[in-house]
């Protein structure tokens, strides 16, 4: 997986903290990517000026020919990423509920169902409601993972047709 490519949608979806960008740039340099802005970004402190970090990140992507996705695409990638994380056991149902952001978007029927179920999460779900919600969320995530064409956009290879 190309961490720099993967970072573009995370940046737009606002789930990639600016403080992580200098280290991301350093890893990209080690992996063979290079540009003046990328080198400058890699030299910044993670506690540096967030506006400068963001500006250098966007400039570095441009120098490397990596386009930032639009907000709709980034939001859909976030939604699909949450579904994959849940299906692969990397996230709990609660993590998915907490992982939603204002930039989440849904275009397909499966994305819409997953978003609707995930958005029903609340810290105040009663113990009698939580198991049903979790089961419905996992089912919606499995449907989305099986139907999506965005897996490669979030760094997950598409399953071979079988």
């Amino acid at each position: 997986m190309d961490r720099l490519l993967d970072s573009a949608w995370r940046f737009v979806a606002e789930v990639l903290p600016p403080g992580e960008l200098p280290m991301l740039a350093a890893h990209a340099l080690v992996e063979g990517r290079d540009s003046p802005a990328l080198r400058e970004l890699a030299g910044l402190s993670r506690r540096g000026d967030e506006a400068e970090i963001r500006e250098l990140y966007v400039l570095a992507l441009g120098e490397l020919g990596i386009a930032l996705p639009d907000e709709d695409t980034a939001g859909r990638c976030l939604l699909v990423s949450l579904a994959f994380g849940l299906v692969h056991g990397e996230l709990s149902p609660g993590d998915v509920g907490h992982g939603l952001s204002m930039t989440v978007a849904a275009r397909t029927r499966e994305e819409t169902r997953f978003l609707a179920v995930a958005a029903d999460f609340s810290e105040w779900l009663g113990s009698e409601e939580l198991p049903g919600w979790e089961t419905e969320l996992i089912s919606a995530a499995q449907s989305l993972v099986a139907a999506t064409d965005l897996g490669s956009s979030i760094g997950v290879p598409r399953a071979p047709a079988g």
Side-chain angles (χ1 to χ4, degrees), residues 1-22:
M1 171 179 73
D2 186 325
R3 286 187 268 198
L4 204 52
L5 282 173
D6 184 56
S7 73
W9 71 262
R10 291 178 186 280
F11 178 79
V12 173
E14 299 177 357
V15 294
L16 180 61
E20 291 183 22
L21 296 174

Side-chain angles (χ1 to χ4, degrees), residues 25-100:
H27 283 291
L29 288 169
V30 169
E31 293 167 357
R33 297 279 181 98
D34 193 15
S35 83
L38 190 68
R39 281 179 285 195
E40 190 174 343
L41 178 58
L44 293 179
S45 166
R46 67 181 328 221
R47 292 177 186 79
D49 178 57
E50 289 186 4
E52 180 184 14
I53 290 172
R54 284 186 181 101
E55 183 180 318
L56 279 171
Y57 172 77
V58 171
L59 183 59
L61 290 184
E63 290 173 352
L64 296 168
I66 299 172
L68 287 171
D70 58 69
E71 286 185 12
D72 183 57
T73 301
R76 290 180 67 217
C77 286
L78 174 57
L79 193 65
V80 169
S81 174
L82 292 169
F84 270 93
L86 180 61
V87 168
H88 293 138
E90 298 162 0
L91 297 173
S92 72
D95 293 335
V96 171
H98 290 296
L100 296 177

Side-chain angles (χ1 to χ4, degrees), residues 109-122:
R109 181 174 43 101
E110 293 84 6
E111 290 170 359
T112 302
R113 177 175 170 234
F114 181 71
L115 177 57
V117 175
D120 282 341
F121 176 75
S122 167

Side-chain angles (χ1 to χ4, degrees), residues 4 21 107 110 125 137-138 141 143 151 156:
L4 204 52
L21 296 174
R107 186 176 299 151
E110 293 84 6
L125 278 175
L137 184 67
I138 291 167
S143 295
V156 177

